[in-house]
Amino acid sequence: MQLRQYRKNRSLSLDDVRTTENKIKSMISNLDELIRELEHMTRIIDRNVEQTALYKLYDYNKDLFSIGYDCENNQLSDSYYDLMASESRMTSFLAIITKQVPVEHWYKLNRTFTLYHDHRTLASWSGTMFEYYMPLILMRNYRYSIFDETYHSVLQAQMEYGKMKNKPWGVSESGYYYYDLDLNYQYKAFGVPNIGFKRGLINDYVVSPYSTYLALCINKDPCFDNLETLKKEGADGPYGLYEAIDYTKERLEENEDKKIVKSYMAHHLGM
């Protein structure tokens, strides 16, 4: 009797081992496939970087990138990316290291400093998280540099601005609670006053969760706390946190304190 039970248990144990072994083989196979897909994506990205003619948007007289090309008049637009505190800094960096534009371009970018309370930071156009932190996804940060000081100061400014509003923090470019005729959410830049040159920033308060994700590498603890607050505010949706929460009074009903912008934008989730 004991011998039969032993053999039965031994058989079950062998079956468990085989099941586990098959699961491991399947996981390894899936991992190999994932690695192949990532390597393929890397080759595509490298090819796109190598083949993109960034210099065609470069004004060699001003040593700056134009914001675009006027196809009707067959000329560069007469507006330029001229600030160091801008998402376009990444384009400038790529264009220089691929030798499409001269290194002098880097020194043409404006480095105006401004203050938010006692926090010194490079000034951007809109005071958004996107302008400051998007380049940090790909570019290295150096301690005690003007960028390092700016990253920490902007995060502090964003948190203090949120505290002043008694709301979660994190304002950037995002959708907001206003529709066009096709019922699409509208989109624009929202930022912290005093660190952005743009006027009227104080008129809106729209918090975008991706703004918090961008700052995780600077100071993760307040970011985790803010994400939890956003969930409690109703930002959690079926595919993660929604695009934004709009706290702007002019877009709320009398008995409301917020509107959830229930959309997802691929480039924000990607950041």
Side-chain angles (χ1 to χ4, degrees):
M1 183 72 178
Q2 289 181 345
L3 180 60
R4 285 199 301 270
Q5 186 65 36
Y6 168 76
R7 287 175 176 172
K8 182 180 179 182
N9 292 340
R10 185 171 180 270
S11 176
L12 288 173
S13 297
L14 287 173
D15 288 343
D16 290 341
V17 170
R18 292 192 186 100
T19 301
T20 302
E21 182 181 10
N22 290 333
K23 287 182 179 179
I24 292 173
K25 287 180 179 178
S26 177
M27 290 170 62
I28 292 173
S29 175
N30 292 337
L31 184 60
D32 289 340
E33 179 64 25
L34 176 61
I35 291 172
R36 285 193 292 271
E37 290 180 4
L38 290 173
E39 289 175 342
H40 178 62
M41 289 173 61
T42 301
R43 288 192 293 271
I44 292 174
I45 293 169
D46 286 341
R47 185 169 65 248
N48 287 341
V49 170
E50 292 168 0
Q51 295 179 355
T52 300
L54 299 172
Y55 68 89
K56 291 188 176 181
L57 291 173
Y58 191 73
D59 187 324
Y60 286 87
N61 293 321
K62 295 182 179 293
D63 271 329
L64 293 171
F65 276 102
S66 169
I67 65 168
Y69 194 82
D70 184 346
C71 295
E72 291 185 2
N73 296 309
N74 197 30
Q75 64 184 20
L76 292 175
S77 298
D78 192 27
S79 297
Y80 299 88
Y81 288 109
D82 60 354
L83 295 176
M84 182 63 81
S86 167
E87 73 280 5
S88 66
R89 182 170 84 248
M90 200 155 52
T91 300
S92 298
F93 182 75
L94 282 172
I96 290 170
I97 64 174
T98 55
K99 298 184 179 180
Q100 295 191 49
V101 304
V103 71
E104 285 76 17
H105 165 57
W106 193 255
Y107 300 100
K108 283 283 188 175
L109 298 176
N110 188 295
R111 293 161 169 78
T112 299
F113 272 93
T114 186
L115 285 173
Y116 185 85
H117 296 175
D118 295 326
H119 308 294
R120 189 177 73 149
T121 174
L122 287 169
S124 67
W125 175 245
S126 304
T128 65
M129 294 289 277
F130 172 73
E131 291 169 296
Y132 287 106
Y133 291 99
M134 182 181 171
L136 188 57
I137 296 173
L138 297 178
M139 298 176 67
R140 187 178 299 174
N141 183 33
Y142 293 92
R143 290 186 66 187
Y144 309 119
S145 65
I146 60 172
F147 298 122
D148 187 55
E149 181 179 3
T150 292
Y151 294 141
H152 287 87
S153 294
V154 168
L155 179 55
Q156 195 63 37
Q158 287 269 351
M159 290 191 293
E160 290 185 9
Y161 189 47
K163 186 176 181 180
M164 183 185 75
K165 295 279 189 179
N166 197 28
K167 299 287 189 296
W169 55 268
V171 291
S172 193
E173 291 187 7
S174 72
Y176 60 102
Y177 204 86
Y178 190 78
Y179 300 100
D180 63 12
L181 294 177
D182 295 318
L183 298 182
N184 297 307
Y185 287 117
Q186 297 302 281
Y187 183 98
K188 68 177 182 179
F190 304 99
V192 177
N194 298 337
I195 67 173
F197 289 111
K198 183 180 177 181
R199 295 181 179 180
L201 293 172
I202 200 168
N203 297 330
D204 301 270
Y205 195 70
V206 181
V207 177
S208 48
Y210 87 90
S211 299
T212 303
Y213 289 122
L214 284 173
L216 278 168
C217 59
I218 299 299
N219 191 347
K220 63 181 186 301
D221 290 337
C223 291
F224 288 144
D225 291 341
N226 198 52
L227 290 172
E228 286 300 318
T229 301
L230 289 169
K231 289 181 181 179
K232 293 175 182 177
E233 287 285 287
D236 205 7
Y239 305 108
L241 297 180
Y242 284 120
E243 168 69 1
I245 304 178
D246 194 338
Y247 293 99
T248 309
K249 290 183 179 180
E250 286 74 16
R251 290 191 287 272
L252 301 178
E253 300 296 333
E254 187 175 342
N255 60 340
E256 292 180 322
D257 63 349
K258 60 181 175 290
K259 289 279 193 182
I260 308 298
V261 181
K262 294 185 177 181
S263 67
Y264 296 96
M265 303 197 77
H267 67 297
H268 290 167
L269 293 175
M271 288 191 286

